[in-house]
Amino acid sequence: MNLLRATGTIGGLTMVSRLFGFVRDILLARILGAGLAADAWQLAFQMPNIFRRLFAEGAFSAAFVPLFNRRMHGKQGDAGADDADDSAPDRVAAQQFVTDIVSVLVPTLILFSALFMVAMPGVIWLIAGDFSGGDDAVRKAELSTILARIAFPYLAFMSLTTLLAGILNSLSRFAAAAAAPILLNICLITALVAGALSGAGEAMTVRTAYYLAFAVSVSGLLQMLWLGYWVRKSGFAICLDRPRLNSNVRELGVLIFPAIFGAGIYQISRFVDLFFVARLPEGSLTYLAMADRLNQLPLGIIGIALGTAILPALSRLIASDNPDGASRLQTNAIELSMLLTIPAAFALYVASWPVAGAFYVGGNFTQEDGATTANVISALVIGLPAYVLVKVLVPGFFARKDTRTPVVTAGISLIINISLNLLLIPILGIIGLALAGAISAWCNTLMLYGVLHWRGHYRLPLVLVLRLLRIALAAAVMAGVMIAVMPYGTVFFTGSTIERIVSLAVLVLTGLIVYGLAAWFGGAVDRDRIRLLTSRKAADDSATTE
């Protein structure tokens, strides 16, 4: 596997999805604003998404991919495959594994979704209480409940989509899975346009929120069908059989339950954030969601892309007893991720107001809304390198079938996050909540690396440490230049939409040029290292041939 090429494929398509997401959020801000319907939609959208990250992208993917890879390479589970033929061809064993898992997963998802939809009023009350109080609190809670019920089938569709994506990623076919989220944003954009054309005023915003909820579920179904087509084209058939707790299911369960607790702790942290933010002034849910969209752009393009790309490769390297190759892969992933993430964090911190103003301000989203969103962005991106590093470090545990350690570190980070929320929110409001999350992410990163280092699984080479320092220095030079030139664009940053976008583009281009030059001449970028990153040998294992 070519690490840079695989990351580029995933990251490039993720960028397309994120760009569609920006269009979506621009329309969201301008059509829904930061009022009742917007906050209700943001809370409802979190319900299936939190559980999707918990069961699908987090725990399930981390457990499924290594086991599927082992069967594809002719290695059965530790407990033995009492229901499969050990002498079966690799693809046959992998096919049986998929069938066994799907046959248990589908009824489980149906039952869980039905129960949760029935209990939705209690869940919304538990999270949001009476929101921030006021005359519209009851209406907002009722609207959130209805929207969440409409959108919740998205969870079941996306859980199956994640299984399909795991198969394709294990076969080093990353493009289809990386492109799937584009369908979500296309559906949501369509719903927003339809809502905007349906009228005006508060009735329009509520109607649009309903359209959005239906669009979420439809997008989940479309993504599942899209990946199902590509999995079938790759030679796998997704079949349903009688659910059985056989060795395949039991082995997955042994790995998935600790991973659920680990991912669950992170999602509990998300619930905790919702608990706090729902009690802040109206619009806070929207400010946080809009700021997080910008934070998620480099996280998705770099962190999630790298984490997705290296997990199958790490699993193969560790299974073949090649620790040197695994260490090189981890080093290359860290260097590549920080080469892009650190300057992104500096730039977003410095230019948070021009960015928020260019993308969001207009229509029902005021200048004051944009200023608050910009402050939240600045607090969030302090933790951006840490969020990305967590995505890069965690596969080092999952590939070794260790799903317990990330549980422990995430649990400690959750305690830190809650403590900081209690300390900072009374002082800084929504900005304090974002800052607490950033600090706790850095704590999680340090703990994950500390455990890998202590166990001898991975240690930062001195050359990488020096490279990271040079990257940070180049990013600081870039930030200094951006701060110096920003006053010249002050008038344009608050002007028309075209003026804001053009001025932001000039500022970003200036930053890119300065960072590129500073990184090149400062030694943060090395041509020999770039060639190494693009080689199969560095990206996959220590084989002598490409």
Side-chain angles (χ1 to χ4, degrees):
M1 184 194 76
N2 184 310
L3 178 60
L4 193 59
R5 185 181 303 163
T7 303
T9 298
I10 301 169
L13 289 169
T14 302
M15 178 180 284
V16 174
S17 175
R18 292 295 195 263
L19 290 175
F20 274 98
F22 270 126
V23 174
R24 176 194 84 190
D25 284 345
I26 290 169
L27 293 174
L28 270 172
R30 296 176 182 228
I31 294 171
L32 294 188
L36 182 147
D39 277 359
W41 155 248
Q42 295 294 349
L43 179 59
F45 189 43
Q46 289 297 323
M47 292 300 102
N49 268 297
I50 285 175
F51 287 101
R52 172 181 61 85
R53 298 186 190 104
L54 169 60
F55 293 117
E57 291 180 355
F60 185 84
S61 180
F64 177 83
V65 169
L67 295 182
F68 181 83
N69 265 293
R70 289 171 60 202
R71 283 155 177 79
M72 280 295 294
H73 291 82
K75 296 184 178 183
Q76 300 298 326
D78 294 338
D82 54 9
D83 298 284
D85 182 3
D86 286 348
S87 64
D90 296 344
R91 188 170 288 264
V92 173
Q95 173 69 70
Q96 185 60 50
F97 177 69
V98 171
T99 298
D100 291 342
I101 299 306
V102 170
S103 299
V104 172
L105 182 62
V106 169
T108 301
L109 288 170
I110 292 173
L111 179 61
F112 178 84
S113 298
L115 291 175
F116 206 88
M117 290 168 71
V118 170
M120 193 64 73
V123 174
I124 296 295
W125 176 85
L126 184 65
I127 294 172
D130 62 351
F131 284 87
S132 58
D135 297 336
D136 291 330
V138 174
R139 289 181 59 213
K140 190 185 295 186
E142 291 176 348
L143 181 58
S144 298
T145 299
I146 296 171
L147 296 178
R149 281 174 165 168
I150 295 171
F152 206 75
Y154 179 72
L155 168 64
F157 293 134
M158 289 307 298
S159 296
L160 293 170
T161 298
T162 299
L163 180 144
L164 298 171
I167 295 172
L168 292 171
N169 290 340
S170 295
L171 299 173
S172 296
R173 299 182 180 181
F174 299 106
I182 297 172
L183 295 171
L184 167 65
N185 288 317
I186 290 175
C187 289
L188 293 180
I189 290 170
T190 302
L192 283 164
V193 172
L197 295 175
S198 69
E202 184 179 344
M204 180 274 293
T205 62
V206 173
R207 189 180 305 112
T208 302
Y210 275 96
Y211 291 169
L212 287 168
F214 281 110
V216 168
S217 290
V218 170
S219 74
L221 175 61
L222 292 178
Q223 290 180 74
M224 184 184 70
L225 294 175
W226 163 257
L227 292 190
Y229 166 78
W230 287 106
V231 166
R232 181 172 289 274
K233 194 170 182 180
S234 70
F236 281 90
I238 304 302
C239 305
L240 281 176
D241 200 351
R242 180 174 59 86
R244 296 179 300 162
L245 296 178
N246 60 19
S247 62
N248 282 332
V249 176
R250 290 196 301 270
E251 187 178 10
L252 182 70
V254 168
L255 292 180
I256 202 171
F257 281 110
I260 285 175
F261 284 116
I265 289 174
Y266 173 73
Q267 298 312 325
I268 289 171
S269 179
R270 300 285 293 184
F271 275 122
V272 168
D273 287 348
L274 288 175
F275 177 87
F276 282 109
V277 74
R279 287 156 177 79
L280 292 172
E282 185 170 88
S284 295
L285 274 165
T286 301
Y287 302 144
L288 183 62
M290 296 301 176
D292 193 50
R293 167 59 58 184
L294 291 164
N295 189 55
Q296 289 289 328
L297 178 63
L299 177 60
I301 294 172
I302 305 165
I304 296 174
L306 273 170
T308 302
I310 69 174
L311 178 56
L314 272 176
S315 300
R316 290 193 292 270
L317 289 166
I318 292 167
S320 62
D321 194 23
N322 187 354
D324 291 338
S327 181
R328 282 198 301 273
L329 178 61
Q330 199 93 59
T331 295
N332 293 339
I334 291 173
E335 179 176 346
L336 183 59
S337 66
M338 292 300 99
L339 183 65
L340 303 173
T341 303
I342 291 175
F346 273 78
L348 281 171
Y349 183 88
V350 169
S352 59
W353 163 240
V355 170
F359 287 120
Y360 299 141
V361 172
N364 290 325
F365 206 80
T366 66
Q367 293 278 350
E368 291 76 15
D369 295 331
T372 303
T373 302
N375 290 331
V376 178
I377 292 169
S378 295
L380 276 178
V381 298
I382 291 173
L384 179 57
Y387 294 125
V388 171
L389 285 171
V390 167
K391 297 293 184 183
V392 175
L393 292 174
V394 164
F397 294 93
F398 290 159
R400 294 176 173 88
K401 297 173 43 173
D402 176 10
T403 53
R404 180 180 179 277
T405 299
V407 173
V408 176
T409 63
I412 297 172
S413 298
L414 172 60
I415 295 171
I416 294 171
N417 187 37
I418 293 173
S419 301
L420 290 173
N421 276 331
L422 293 172
L423 177 65
L424 296 177
I425 288 177
I427 302 172
L428 301 174
I430 185 65
I431 299 168
L433 184 144
L435 187 59
I439 295 172
S440 64
W442 276 111
C443 293
N444 193 18
T445 301
L446 293 174
M447 286 185 287
L448 287 170
Y449 172 71
V451 173
L452 287 173
H453 182 95
W454 176 67
R455 292 177 178 173
H457 293 324
Y458 179 71
R459 295 180 178 177
L460 284 172
L462 179 60
V463 65
L464 177 59
V465 174
L466 295 175
R467 187 81 64 194
L468 295 178
L469 290 174
R470 294 187 183 105
I471 291 171
L473 180 60
V477 172
M478 174 201 68
V481 173
M482 291 177 70
I483 291 172
V485 302
M486 277 177 61
Y488 297 101
T490 300
V491 174
F492 300 106
F493 294 147
T494 56
S496 67
T497 300
I498 296 299
E499 288 176 331
R500 282 182 270 141
I501 292 175
V502 171
S503 60
L504 176 62
V506 172
L507 182 63
V508 170
L509 181 60
T510 301
L512 285 173
I513 293 172
V514 172
Y515 175 70
L517 292 174
W520 184 264
F521 290 108
V525 176
D526 182 81
R527 281 176 290 182
D528 292 335
R529 191 65 176 159
I530 293 297
R531 280 196 294 269
L532 182 61
L533 285 170
T534 60
S535 70
R536 181 186 295 268
K537 179 177 179 181
D540 199 355
D541 56 35
S542 59
T544 58
T545 59
E546 279 193 36

